[in-house]
């Protein structure tokens, strides 16, 4: 303890001695600005502060000097006379009644539905995709919702030809190395994803904006098949494979197909392609309750063999309804397969024979 | 150890599974489709003689208009046709019609002999390359060419949709002319599409709510010609009428036939109270069906004749009720907001059409017979008085516009709410009643 006390005492003494004699406080002062201040009297200060409030205004302002060359004022009377003579209306006497125009002819009642709703004020631009412009006479509103599809589709460009596939217009480039055949721009028809009745529209004449349509998975898959992205996880693949293996034991005269099966993405692409042509709008109520299973043999180019399409079974409706439902299914397969379904050629054995079940249950509630 | 075994089994399944997964055909299920008009083509029917040329053109146009008017079909205009049909019996060049995306093709011929027209036609499924059904022919007087065209359209409609058509039918309605404060009303009858309007009464008395009989040969309606509303029965063919016997000092209105055409159910107001009654047309005897201090009116039979749907304010607001045809306990079927009235049972029996007033607007709607699945099809200043097409797929109703210059018109709408259209009439029109298909 004593040693420590001694060391501490010596250290403190050395520190104090260095501070006193070492000149540690003789450093140069930090730079700072200096302003001269003059002492003024209270009267001078009052005079300074009062000056802005009471500007020194001359008691009698001098009259402005007249312009050296005064402009002559125009002769208004002469100008008025120059105006073509107009008979002033005689307000003292009312206009003669016989001058009243003929009553307007009766306005013909238009064929379209009378509009009881007030006009919709123009909305400011919003940061949404405007899909449905205000109705114009050349394109009635009812036409725009003629089509109900699984996914809503924005109105196509006016110059585009209606088609299931969206494709840009191709014009031959005279300077290009390879000549391209001119091709018309195509786009799918505008569609909603459910039936919209007049009662659903509320008081609005037409919607001013709607959500952007979602991408159509079918087209993505058909243009750029990416099996790896759409492949199911291992567990679901095992389940699906086992289920199909166990449930798909129907006798077939053809040898069992070999090679890898279609991926879920390839199947989805086929399913959506057929869906786009499966029009149930003209089916009877009973046919809309009828599920039909249809078989089709496919050619190698992806086109269905129309003669091979037949109905394997039906459930839920009469034979007549089943025939109507089968007719719609057959048209769907043939129409959308007219240019060949996008199926992997190397897996032809897997899709040579297809059984499609057309179940309209979800379409009944559109 | 268990994990090791599970992993081994999974590997085996993954290696073997895909190869064994699809022994049979590829199977897919389609659950989503589209709803859009089916494109069809009707090239002008072939005229077998110059005399039949005009009729051939006219018949083709009426068929096209009938089908397009349903909203289920869309005609491909003749200007887009590639193929031409010059011989009714020549084979069809399906490729030409596929190229213009015609899914259905109707071909036909018209021949005229004296005052008699004969119309032959076939319906083709273009993409399947087959005929839908077999060829058919109608014959009739020259001035009946519209009816023949409607019959062809009915057959085409039926073969494609599987449902009966409604084109060869008529509508009886109240024709209205003159200003709103001096409106003259006459009973009129026309084809379903507004053609061939004929007037059945003059405008000396107010007439209301005409109703076709199940056979389409008689009409019930209400007239004020005695000063009070009374029910009259008219023979359409002879334009002869008689008043149905109801007690003096009462008001009778809102009549409707039973499905067998032998009875009439109607409303009768006596002493300020309105109830439903049933009358045997032949004997003229009436029987009371309801006995309530509230107002019961607008009765309509179910197609099997066992039940009656009607409107009543017995619960405090105007709602829809169903009771046995012979009277008895009624059950309420409408429970939504607003007031419900003028119920009409669908000829199919599955739906009830009604008028609904809610939040200052009128709607035509349909619901199941138990009141479920209510669906409003229209909305306007004033929609009322639905009547069913013979096939139960389309509803016609009255739409009136507001104001002193307001006008009543007839409209049709599909039971899905699509395809709202106005029916052309020479004057204002209200209170339509759709006939069954003509024989």
């Amino acid at each position: 303890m004593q040693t420590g006390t001694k060391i501490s005492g010596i250290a403190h003494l050395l520190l104090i001695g260095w501070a006193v004699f070492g000149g540690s406080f003789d450093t140069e002062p930090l730079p700072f600005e200096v302003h001269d201040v003059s002492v003024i009297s209270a009267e001078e200060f009052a005079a300074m502060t009062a000056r802005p409030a009471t500007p020194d205004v001359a008691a009698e302002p001098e009259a402005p000097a007249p312009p050296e060359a005064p402009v002559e004022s125009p002769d208004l009377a002469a100008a008025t006379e120059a105006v073509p003579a107009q008979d002033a209306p005689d307000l003292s006497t009312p206009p003669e009644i016989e001058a009243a125009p003929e009553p307007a002819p009766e306005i013909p009642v238009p064929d379209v539905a009378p509009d009881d709703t007030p006009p919709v004020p123009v909305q400011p631009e919003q940061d949404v995709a405007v899909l449905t412009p205000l109705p114009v006479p050349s394109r009635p509103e009812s036409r725009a919702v003629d089509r109900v599809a699984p996914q809503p589709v924005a109105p196509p460009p006016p110059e585009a030809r209606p088609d299931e596939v969206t494709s840009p217009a191709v014009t031959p480039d005279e300077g290009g190395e390879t000549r391209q055949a001119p091709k018309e721009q195509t786009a799918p028809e505008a569609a909603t994803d459910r039936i919209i009745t007049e009662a659903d529209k509320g008081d609005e004449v037409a919607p001013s904006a709607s959500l952007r349509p979602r991408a159509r998975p079918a087209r993505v898959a058909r243009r750029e098949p990416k099996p790896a992205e759409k492949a199911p996880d291992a567990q679901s693949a095992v389940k699906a494979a086992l289920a199909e293996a166990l449930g798909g034991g129907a006798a077939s005269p053809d040898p069992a197909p070999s090679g890898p099966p279609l991926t879920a993405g390839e199947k989805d692409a086929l399913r959506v392609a057929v869906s786009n042509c499966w029009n149930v709008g003209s089916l009877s109520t009973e046919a809309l309750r009828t599920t039909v299973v249809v078989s089709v043999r496919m050619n190698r180019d992806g086109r269905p063999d129309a003669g091979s399409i037949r109905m394997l079974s039906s459930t839920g409706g009469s034979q007549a309804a089943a025939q109507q439902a089968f007719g719609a299914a057959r048209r769907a397969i043939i129409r959308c397969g007219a240019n060949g379904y996008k199926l992997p050629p190397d897996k032809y054995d897997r899709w040579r024979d297809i059984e499609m079940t057309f179940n309209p249950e979800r379409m009944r509630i559109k | 150890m268990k994990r090791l075994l599970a992993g081994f089994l999974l590997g085996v399944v993954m290696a073997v599974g895909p190869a064994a997964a699809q022994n049979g055909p590829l199977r897919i299920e389609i659950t989503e489709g589209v709803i859009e008009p089916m494109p069809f083509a009707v090239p002008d029917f072939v005229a077998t003689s110059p005399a039949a040329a005009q009729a051939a053109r006219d018949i083709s146009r009426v068929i096209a208009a009938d089908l397009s008017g349903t909203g289920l079909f869309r005609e491909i205009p003749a200007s887009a046709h590639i193929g031409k049909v010059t011989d009714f019996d020549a084979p069809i060049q399906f490729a030409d019609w596929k190229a213009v995306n015609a899914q259905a093709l109707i071909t036909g011929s018209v021949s005229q002999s004296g005052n008699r027209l004969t119309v032959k036609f076939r319906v083709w499924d273009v993409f399947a390359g087959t005929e839908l059904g077999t060829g058919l022919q109608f014959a009739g007087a020259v001035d009946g060419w519209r009816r023949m065209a409607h019959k062809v359209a009915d057959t085409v409609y039926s073969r494609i949709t599987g449902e009966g058509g409604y084109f060869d039918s008529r509508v009886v309605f109240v024709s209205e002319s003159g200003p709103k404060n001096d409106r003259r009303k006459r009973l009129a009858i026309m084809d379903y599409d507004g053609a061939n309007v004929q007037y059945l009464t003059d405008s000396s008395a107010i007439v209301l709510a005409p109703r076709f009989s199940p056979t389409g040969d008689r009409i019930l309606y209400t007239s004020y010609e005695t000063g009070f509303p009374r029910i009259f029965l008219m023979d359409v063919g002879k334009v002869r009428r008689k008043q149905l016997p109801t007690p003096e000092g009462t008001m009778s209105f809102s009549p409707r036939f039973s499905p067998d055409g032998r009875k009439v159910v109607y409303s009768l107001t006596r002493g300020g109270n309105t109830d439903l009654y049933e009358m045997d047309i032949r004997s003229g005897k009436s029987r009371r069906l309801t006995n309530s201090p509230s107002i019961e009116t607008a009765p309509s039979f179910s197609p099997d004749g066992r039940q009656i749907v009607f409107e009543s304010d017995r619960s405090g607001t105007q709602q829809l009720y169903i009771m046995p045809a012979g009277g008895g306990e009624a059950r309420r079927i409408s429970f939504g907001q607003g007031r419900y009235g003028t119920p009409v049972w669908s000829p199919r029996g599955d739906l009830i059409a009604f008028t609904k007033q809610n939040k200052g607007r009128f709607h035509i709607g349909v619901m199941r017979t138990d009141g479920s699945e209510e669906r409003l099809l229209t909305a306007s200043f004033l929609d009322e008085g639905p009547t069913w097409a013979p096939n139960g797929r389309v509803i016609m109703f009255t739409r009136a516009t507001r104001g002193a210059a307001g006008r009543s018109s007839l409209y049709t709408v599909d039971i899905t709410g699509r395809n709202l259209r106005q029916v052309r009439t020479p004057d204002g029109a209200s209170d339509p009643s759709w006939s069954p298909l003509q024989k």
Side-chain angles (χ1 to χ4, degrees):
Chain A
M1 283 296 285
Q2 289 183 343
T3 305
T5 305
K6 288 175 183 174
I7 292 171
S8 175
I10 292 167
H12 276 89
L13 286 172
L14 288 173
L15 180 64
I16 292 170
W18 176 74
V20 172
F21 303 108
S24 62
F25 298 111
D26 288 344
T27 55
E28 289 291 325
L30 293 172
F32 59 92
E33 290 186 11
V34 178
H35 291 271
D36 292 334
V37 176
S38 61
V39 177
I40 60 172
S41 65
E43 289 77 13
E44 288 172 333
F45 180 76
M48 284 170 61
T49 53
R51 192 168 290 137
T54 56
D56 188 10
V57 180
E60 291 183 6
E62 293 178 6
E68 292 179 1
V71 179
E72 291 183 5
S73 59
D75 187 354
L76 294 179
T80 306
E81 285 171 6
V83 173
Q86 237 178 0
D87 292 335
D90 185 6
L91 298 177
S92 61
T93 56
E96 292 180 12
I97 294 181
E98 64 184 27
E102 289 291 322
E106 192 179 348
I107 300 170
V109 178
D111 292 332
V112 296
D115 182 12
D116 294 327
T117 57
V120 179
V122 177
Q123 295 293 326
E125 251 182 64
Q126 299 171 22
D127 187 22
V128 293
V130 177
L131 298 180
T132 312
L134 288 174
V136 291
S138 60
R139 189 164 188 177
E141 185 186 351
S142 60
R143 184 70 189 83
V145 294
D146 265 356
R147 181 179 164 94
V148 179
Q151 304 289 340
V153 180
E159 63 274 15
R161 178 173 59 83
D163 195 276
E164 294 303 324
V165 180
T166 304
S167 60
V170 176
T171 52
D173 184 4
E174 296 299 332
E177 293 180 357
T178 56
R179 291 185 64 83
Q180 285 182 298
K183 192 177 170 187
E184 209 175 352
Q185 182 182 5
T186 62
E189 288 185 75
T192 60
D193 59 353
R194 68 185 181 90
I195 293 173
I196 298 172
T197 69
E198 192 182 38
D200 293 330
K201 294 175 186 170
D203 293 338
E204 293 183 7
V205 173
S208 59
S210 65
L211 294 175
R212 289 180 184 278
R214 284 174 285 174
R216 308 190 76 178
R219 307 245 152 68
V220 173
R222 284 162 64 176
R223 273 192 235 122
E224 299 174 318
K226 293 180 181 175
E229 288 181 9
K230 298 214 171 194
D233 59 356
Q235 196 174 5
S236 61
V238 169
K239 282 183 180 175
L242 283 174
E244 286 200 22
L246 293 172
S252 170
D254 296 321
S258 59
L262 269 66
T263 64
E266 289 162 344
K267 282 186 181 179
D268 278 344
L270 175 63
R271 182 182 299 119
V272 176
V274 178
S275 296
N276 283 332
C277 289
W278 185 36
N279 181 12
V280 300
S282 56
L283 287 184
S284 67
T285 308
E286 189 183 8
L288 274 174
R289 288 196 296 264
T290 307
T291 297
V292 291
V293 181
V294 178
S295 72
V296 56
R297 172 152 287 203
M298 306 292 290
N299 299 319
R300 281 194 177 275
D301 60 1
R303 295 171 198 261
D305 177 0
S308 72
I309 301 174
R310 58 196 175 91
M311 181 166 62
L312 297 179
S313 64
S314 68
T315 53
S318 66
Q319 187 59 31
Q323 281 300 326
Q324 305 299 330
F326 170 60
R330 179 171 58 185
R331 279 191 292 274
I333 296 169
I334 297 172
R335 277 181 58 217
C336 272
N339 295 321
Y341 290 106
K342 303 297 182 190
L343 291 162
D346 56 327
K347 299 179 182 176
Y348 175 62
D349 284 348
R350 292 288 182 184
W351 50 262
R352 182 184 56 204
D353 293 301
I354 305 177
E355 280 183 18
M356 299 186 192
T357 301
F358 289 84
N359 183 352
E361 185 178 353
R362 294 172 69 176
M363 299 305 295
R364 287 204 304 270
I365 57 172
K366 283 285 182 181
Chain B
M1 185 60 187
K2 281 183 179 175
R3 284 185 180 176
L4 189 64
L5 182 59
F8 173 74
L9 287 174
L10 184 64
V12 169
V13 167
M14 288 184 70
V16 176
Q22 185 192 318
N23 286 327
L26 173 65
R27 291 185 176 86
I28 63 171
E29 183 175 20
I30 316 289
T31 58
E32 292 275 10
V34 297
I35 299 173
E36 61 183 347
M38 175 191 281
F40 73 97
V42 189
D44 279 350
F45 281 13
V46 178
T48 58
S49 66
Q54 185 62 44
R57 276 193 297 273
D58 292 343
I59 287 172
S60 308
R61 291 303 87 214
V62 169
I63 294 169
D66 282 347
L67 295 174
S68 300
T70 64
L72 306 181
F73 304 95
R74 184 177 71 226
E75 187 192 12
I76 295 172
S79 58
H81 293 181
I82 298 172
K84 301 292 177 193
V85 178
T86 54
D87 181 357
F88 176 66
D89 296 316
I92 299 296
Q93 303 301 316
F94 290 110
D96 290 345
W97 302 103
K98 278 183 191 175
V100 296
N101 195 32
Q103 295 178 34
L105 172 68
I106 300 132
T107 60
S109 72
V110 178
S111 58
Q112 184 173 351
S113 172
N115 190 35
R116 195 165 179 79
L117 276 183
T118 302
V119 182
K120 298 178 184 176
F121 71 98
R122 294 183 191 277
V123 190
W124 305 91
D125 185 332
V126 173
F127 282 84
T130 58
E131 185 177 1
L132 283 171
T134 55
L136 201 61
Q137 115 175 8
F138 294 110
V142 170
D143 58 3
W145 66 269
R146 284 190 70 91
R147 277 203 65 193
M148 282 189 273
H150 289 320
K151 284 195 170 296
V152 173
D154 275 329
T155 309
V156 173
Y157 180 95
S158 177
R159 287 185 181 176
I160 295 176
T161 67
E163 295 181 323
Y166 57 87
F167 310 123
D168 186 25
S169 61
R170 296 201 286 178
V171 173
V172 62
F173 63 101
V174 175
S175 174
E176 301 183 356
S177 57
K180 216 168 193 176
N181 57 1
D182 183 25
R183 193 145 283 180
R184 294 186 299 277
K185 298 191 173 189
R186 293 182 287 174
L187 275 192
I189 193 169
M190 64 181 184
D191 292 355
Y192 95 98
D193 56 0
N196 294 329
V197 175
Q198 293 174 299
Y199 297 97
L200 302 176
T201 64
D202 58 25
S203 55
S204 58
I206 294 174
V207 287
L208 294 173
R211 302 287 180 247
F212 261 117
S213 69
T215 49
D217 57 347
R218 293 172 297 165
I219 291 170
L220 286 168
Y221 66 99
T222 305
S223 173
Y224 278 74
E225 66 183 64
T226 62
F228 291 93
R230 301 277 184 189
I231 298 171
F232 286 78
L233 177 66
M234 176 180 281
D235 184 311
V236 177
K238 299 173 183 171
V239 197
R240 225 168 34 196
R241 64 191 179 87
K242 69 171 184 179
Q243 183 182 331
L244 294 187
T246 49
E248 288 297 322
T250 62
M251 295 188 291
S252 52
F253 52 95
S254 195
R256 204 177 285 269
F257 281 99
S258 62
D260 61 7
R262 294 178 181 171
K263 297 175 186 172
V264 175
V265 61
Y266 64 99
S267 293
L268 187 138
T269 301
R270 188 202 306 258
N273 184 34
T274 303
D275 274 306
L276 298 182
Y277 288 73
E278 176 190 79
M279 179 190 294
D280 183 273
I281 294 176
R282 187 167 293 176
S283 67
K285 289 183 179 175
S286 285
R287 188 167 69 92
R288 190 170 187 162
L289 298 179
T290 62
N291 191 356
S292 166
S294 51
I295 295 173
E296 277 74 36
T297 187
S300 172
F301 275 99
S302 62
D304 62 6
R306 293 181 178 176
Q307 299 177 91
I308 294 173
V309 61
F310 62 98
E311 68 175 66
S312 169
D313 62 356
R314 61 181 64 181
S315 64
T317 61
Q318 195 176 309
Q319 300 291 339
L320 305 184
Y321 294 81
I322 288 179
M323 69 175 181
E329 189 177 351
R331 60 184 166 89
R332 179 174 164 178
I333 61 167
S334 61
F335 292 94
Q337 290 184 334
R339 294 190 293 173
Y340 295 77
T342 64
V344 192
W345 216 302
S346 157
R348 293 179 183 171
D350 56 345
L351 295 172
I352 289 171
F354 56 85
T355 302
K356 180 173 182 175
Q357 186 185 4
N358 188 32
K359 296 179 180 174
R361 289 174 78 78
F362 280 77
H363 307 272
I364 298 297
V366 292
M367 62 171 64
R368 295 263 168 213
T369 55
D370 60 0
S372 64
E373 297 183 31
E374 177 181 321
R375 187 164 62 234
L376 299 182
L377 311 178
T378 71
S380 91
F381 168 68
L382 179 56
D383 287 349
E384 61 181 354
T387 180
W388 287 94
N391 69 350
R393 176 124 189 183
V394 181
I395 293 171
M396 189 180 290
F397 61 96
T398 306
R399 170 166 290 184
T401 52
R402 77 177 82 196
R407 187 176 190 267
S408 294
S409 309
L410 303 184
Y411 280 75
T412 57
V413 66
D414 190 271
I415 56 169
T416 61
R418 290 159 63 91
N419 198 38
L420 180 68
R421 287 171 183 261
Q422 185 178 2
V423 182
R424 290 171 181 269
T425 51
D427 296 308
S430 63
D431 273 344
S433 176
W434 214 318
S435 81
L437 278 180
Q438 299 185 80
K439 302 296 181 188

